[in-house]
Structure formats: C-alpha cells, structure tokens
Amino acid sequence: MPVREHEELLLPDDEEERAYDSRDKVVIMGIDDADLDDCASAPPFSWKKLWLFTGPGFLMSIAFLDPGNLEGDLQAGAIAGYSLLWLLMWATAMGLLIQLLAARLGVASGRHLAELCREEYPTWARMVLWIMAELALIGADIQEVIGSAIAIQILSNGVFPLWSGVLITALDCFIFLLLENYGVRKLEAVFAVLIATMALSFAWMFGDAKPSGIELLVGLLVPKLSSKTIKQAVGVVGCIIMPHNVFLHSALVQSREIDHNKKGRVQEALRYYSIESTVALVVSLIINLFVTTVFAKGFYGTELANSIGLVNAGQYLQEKYGGGFFPILYIWGIGLLAAGQSSTITGTYAGQFIMGGFLNLRLKKWLRALITRSFAIVPTMIVALVFDSSEDTLDVLNEWLNVLQSLQIPFALIPLLCLVSKEHIMGIFKIGPILQIVSWLVATLVIVINGYLLVDFFSSEVNSVAFATVVCAFTGAYVAFIIYLVSRGILFCSWRSQSKQMQGIE
C-alpha cells in the first residue's frame, strides 16, 4: 500500500485514540451557571441540561430490546405465563445497577472500560479479555442480524430469503457511518425513533391481545418459580446482562464535554446520566412486558407453547389473533425490524470502542466500523446459508449463541467492578463499601445463574469422552482466569492502600 494511502487510514500522530474526538462531543451549555465553575458541588437541577445529557442511556437500552431478548420474552410468556414478570423487573433493576456503574467509570475516569483494561492488565490478560469481548459481540450481532433478516422476510411475505435479509442488514454499517457525520445528537434522534417504533408496535399488539391487567400486576408483585419454568427464568436473567453493552455504555457517556477537573461537573453528569438511564430502562421494561404478556395471553398452557421461537412467532400470532385493522403479523415484523436494526448499529458502535480501546488502534472511524461489521457479517452470512431452511436448527443455533454470550459475562463484570472500586482511577468517585458489596452480590448472582445455564446445556450436549475431556479442560482454564481477575483486583487495591499508608508515614 502506498505511504500516502496508508496515512489516510490512520489518525494524525498527535491525535490519541479516544471514544469521541473533542470536536464531536456535545457541549453542555448551562443556564446562568458560569459563576459556579469553581464550586465543589453540582449546580442546581436544570431540565435543559437533562435534555442535553439524554441520549447515551437510550442507546444503551437497545441491548435490553434486541431480538435475543424478544425471543426470551416470548418464550417466557408462552411457557411460564405471567409468573416470571417479577423476575423480568428485578433483572432489569440489576441491569440498571451494572449500567450505572459503567457510566460512572466512564464519566469519572474520562476513559472507557476497554481503554482501562488495556492500561491495567498485563498484555496476555488484556488480549484474552479482548478476544472474549469480541466473541460476545459477534454472538450478539449474529442474533440481531438474523432477527432483522427474519423481520424482512415477514414484511416481504417471504420474497426475501434469510440470506438476502442478512445482506440488507449489513448495509446498516453505511447508514451508521452516514449518521455519524451529522453528529451525535442526530444519531441519538434516529435511535429514539426506532425505540418509539418498537413501543408503538408492541403496544398495538398488547391492545389487540388484551392481556389481563390483574394477572400482569400479580405477576410483577408476587414472586413465583417452579421447576417447570426454571430454564425460562434463567433465560430472562441471562438476556438482560449483555457483555458488550457494559463496554458500550462506559464509552457513550463520553460523548458530552465535561470538565473532569471539577468535582461539581462530574457530580452533575453522574446525576443526569442516572436519571436518563433509569428512564430508558423503564421504557425498555414496559416494552418487554408488552411482548411477554401478549404471548402469555395467547399461548400459555397450549400445545404450541414449547414450539414458539423468533422464526414462527409472527405466524402463530396471526393465526391466534387474526388480521384486524392491520395484520398483527406485520405489526410484529415492524417491531422486530426496529429491534434488529437498532441493535446491529449499536453493536457496530460497541465494536469500534472495544477494538479501539483494547488494541489502541489509531484508525479512521469508517475503517474501524467496516472491520467491526465484517467480524459479524461474515459468520452471520454463513449461518444464514446453512440454517435458512430449518426453524429447529435456528433454535439450536440460538441456544449455542446464548451460551457463548453467557460465557463472556464475567469478563465484563469483574473488570468493571474492580476498576470502579480503585481510587487511583476513580478518585473520590470510587464506589463505597456498601455499594461494592451490593454490586458484587448482583454480579455473583448473574454469574451463578448463567453458570447454571452452562452446566445444564453442556450436561445434555456431552455425549462422548473426547468432548467431555475438552469441556473439562476448558472449564478449568475458564474458572482459573476468573479467579485471576478477582484476585488481581483485590491484591491491586490492597497494594495501593499499603503504598498510600507508607507514603503517609514518610
């Protein structure tokens, strides 16, 4: 490659790899608070500032609404009825806690999780974390692209086969690049439209199905769990925590221009991000409730309950509720398309941050997006060609992809909790002892639940000595690396504390 062309692919030598260039960030214009710049406390609440900070939380919430989550919702509703709604609500609350910690890390440190992992871990551990993050992203992206392709197939009455839908969805990379050129706020506005489309579509379905309001309320407030629904319960929790989304949110919050040297400005940003993230996940919870209750009303207790998946859900809805003013099949297709398209674009976004942060790639944005997109589209196209003709094989594929993402969860949560507890990274904004305990309990619960899913899955899949040996060897290495991450976090914090004490004595 000629030197000139090579240089055009790279950032200038004096320009560091960052989530956002300073010229791309949203400038937070205050209202009569110029004299508060030197204050140690946050300025008074401002609706105008809340509006300017609104955006990253809604992009983050897309991961709670992707096709994988929708499939988990519909299966939970069809098989368990209204009984797991309480778990969906509390799983969303746990997800909110994790995402608020990711936002806190990004705001207080001025760097996102992938960048901090590159700086805090030795090369071998950093590379393992990067590979795990990429695998999680690819697994999620395959589900999202396949979901979009299914929606295109539905809306075209089968004219476009699955593989052609994948190709169409691949073009969202170029749409994403086009939107980025118009600024962060324009991109966020597009996602707001997509979320509104999902909300309207699934609310319409909810209105057509007319689920029981009393049963919905009881399902939210009264915890119920039986041995028959344990698999769906695990799926509900497992779908909420997406590893790539933790990396994504810690980077998205840096799209606002914040003076990290002023305590009050950081406090202000954390306050507004907490509000908008909470609102965003409440909206996502309502949309998930719409989907779960529609399938609970229509299919719970029927012979079809165990056979419903993302591929045939629209047809079953059509047969159950009929055409109506606007066929429910197409309403489902529109909502699924909005979910798939929005989640694939955020996946591309997350891929840029993950690759750029871990590897410190000084590439132009368009090249990073193209590379990231190729990582997912190539395997997805292979999957579409292989599995296009069979609903059963697509369901099997989805199970394997869920396992792939479940495996990666500790490698996002543990570094996050370790880093957000370190004073040399967070300063005065490191989380306190009580929040540390609560966060580790939540993380442990999520990891254990996903561990149960993995044990249950592999116990049914292991059918030969050779495969069992491979699984055991992998499990040993997997557990050893988790222990390393936890112990490193504990020992590093202890070493820092002793160093400060020694400096104080001197």
Side-chain angles (χ1 to χ4, degrees):
M1 180 183 294
V3 175
R4 185 182 182 84
E5 292 182 13
H6 177 72
E7 290 177 348
E8 289 178 353
L9 301 178
L10 302 176
L11 296 172
D13 290 337
D14 59 345
E15 191 171 333
E16 294 185 3
E17 167 68 29
R18 284 289 180 261
Y20 293 91
D21 299 331
S22 58
R23 61 181 175 274
D24 294 332
K25 292 186 177 183
V26 177
V27 178
I28 305 299
M29 300 298 293
I31 303 175
D32 299 329
D33 64 359
D35 57 330
L36 297 174
D37 280 347
D38 295 327
C39 290
S41 59
F45 179 83
S46 164
W47 287 104
K48 179 181 178 181
K49 282 192 176 182
L50 177 59
W51 172 248
L52 291 173
F53 274 103
T54 297
F58 282 90
L59 265 71
M60 169 272 297
S61 72
I62 295 296
F64 290 70
L65 298 167
D66 70 357
N69 276 280
L70 297 183
E71 183 161 30
D73 291 339
L74 66 89
Q75 289 176 344
I79 297 172
Y82 299 86
S83 65
L84 295 181
L85 296 183
W86 66 275
L87 188 60
L88 176 61
M89 179 178 68
W90 283 106
T92 304
M94 290 191 294
L96 175 61
L97 172 62
I98 298 299
Q99 296 301 151
L100 289 179
L101 292 179
R104 187 185 189 94
L105 180 71
V107 171
S109 69
R111 289 165 293 174
H112 58 81
L113 181 57
E115 290 176 323
L116 289 169
C117 286
R118 186 186 76 234
E119 296 173 5
E120 296 295 318
Y121 290 97
T123 302
W124 72 269
R126 166 167 52 92
M127 295 306 294
V128 172
L129 288 172
W130 170 61
I131 292 171
M132 293 301 183
E134 289 288 356
L135 288 174
L137 179 60
I138 290 171
D141 214 3
I142 290 175
Q143 287 181 314
E144 293 155 1
V145 172
I146 292 292
S148 289
I150 292 171
I152 291 171
Q153 196 172 44
I154 290 172
L155 296 174
S156 68
N157 285 322
V159 172
F160 292 105
L162 205 61
W163 65 265
S164 63
V166 171
L167 278 181
I168 294 171
T169 306
L171 296 176
D172 65 24
C173 175
F174 300 101
I175 297 173
F176 165 73
L177 292 172
L178 178 64
L179 293 174
E180 269 203 316
N181 291 331
Y182 289 96
V184 172
R185 295 295 277 174
K186 300 293 191 302
L187 182 65
E188 291 169 350
V190 170
F191 279 97
V193 171
L194 291 171
I195 293 173
T197 301
M198 279 185 271
L200 180 61
S201 298
F202 297 134
W204 192 322
M205 285 172 47
F206 184 85
D208 280 352
K210 297 181 178 61
S212 169
I214 295 177
E215 288 187 79
L216 190 157
L217 191 62
V218 170
L220 281 173
L221 300 179
V222 180
K224 294 179 183 178
L225 193 62
S226 69
S227 58
K228 296 179 180 179
T229 60
I230 188 68
K231 187 175 182 180
Q232 284 66 45
V234 171
V236 167
V237 178
C239 287
I240 290 297
I241 307 297
M242 305 290 283
H244 73 274
N245 206 39
V246 178
F247 289 95
L248 175 66
H249 200 200
S250 67
L252 288 174
V253 294
Q254 294 176 46
S255 60
R256 271 57 178 174
E257 190 67 58
I258 299 168
D259 189 345
H260 296 279
N261 296 319
K262 294 184 172 63
K263 175 185 173 183
R265 296 301 172 185
V266 176
Q267 287 178 328
E268 178 185 50
L270 291 174
R271 177 174 63 187
Y272 290 125
Y273 280 137
S274 297
I275 294 172
E276 71 114 12
S277 295
T278 302
V279 172
L281 289 195
V282 168
V283 172
S284 76
L285 173 62
I286 293 172
I287 294 174
N288 284 318
L289 288 175
F290 284 156
V291 176
T292 304
T293 52
V294 164
F295 284 87
K297 171 65 185 299
F299 304 101
Y300 176 58
T302 68
E303 294 180 357
L304 298 174
N306 289 301
S307 61
I308 297 179
L310 207 59
V311 178
N312 55 24
Q315 192 60 45
Y316 282 148
L317 285 171
Q318 184 71 13
E319 293 171 0
K320 180 70 179 180
Y321 297 109
F325 172 73
F326 192 75
I328 197 168
L329 171 67
Y330 298 122
I331 298 171
W332 166 254
I334 291 170
L336 181 60
L337 182 62
Q341 287 297 310
S342 57
S343 56
T344 52
I345 297 175
T346 54
T348 302
Y349 223 5
Q352 288 191 67
F353 297 137
I354 290 171
M355 183 177 291
F358 274 110
L359 304 183
N360 196 25
L361 292 179
R362 297 176 56 259
L363 298 176
K364 296 290 187 180
K365 282 185 177 180
W366 68 267
L367 185 58
R368 278 188 295 167
L370 193 60
I371 293 173
T372 302
R373 204 79 205 99
S374 300
F375 271 30
I377 289 300
V378 172
T380 304
M381 181 58 68
I382 296 171
V383 164
L385 292 172
V386 173
F387 295 98
D388 193 13
S389 60
S390 173
E391 294 179 6
D392 292 337
T393 50
L394 271 176
D395 290 338
V396 171
L397 169 69
N398 190 59
E399 289 183 6
W400 277 96
L401 291 175
N402 286 337
V403 168
L404 178 64
Q405 293 174 76
S406 296
L407 283 169
Q408 318 308 327
I409 285 178
F411 307 128
L413 292 189
I414 294 174
L416 171 67
L417 297 185
C418 290
L419 293 170
V420 83
S421 304
K422 293 181 178 181
E423 187 174 352
H424 77 282
I425 292 174
M426 301 293 294
I428 61 172
F429 294 101
K430 73 170 186 174
I431 59 175
I434 294 178
L435 186 54
Q436 283 187 42
I437 293 172
V438 172
S439 301
W440 277 104
L441 286 174
V442 168
T444 302
L445 178 62
V446 171
I447 292 171
V448 168
I449 288 174
N450 280 277
Y452 172 87
L453 172 65
L454 297 175
V455 171
D456 179 69
F457 179 81
F458 282 112
S459 62
S460 62
E461 292 293 326
V462 173
N463 49 23
S464 68
V465 176
F467 188 47
T469 303
V470 172
V471 169
C472 289
F474 176 81
T475 302
Y478 179 80
V479 173
F481 189 55
I482 291 176
I483 293 172
Y484 165 79
L485 292 175
V486 174
S487 61
R488 179 180 171 82
I490 296 173
L491 293 174
F492 195 88
C493 287
S494 175
W495 177 80
R496 282 274 178 177
S497 177
Q498 292 177 4
S499 297
K500 288 189 67 177
Q501 290 177 3
M502 292 296 293
Q503 290 174 0
I505 293 174
E506 293 175 357

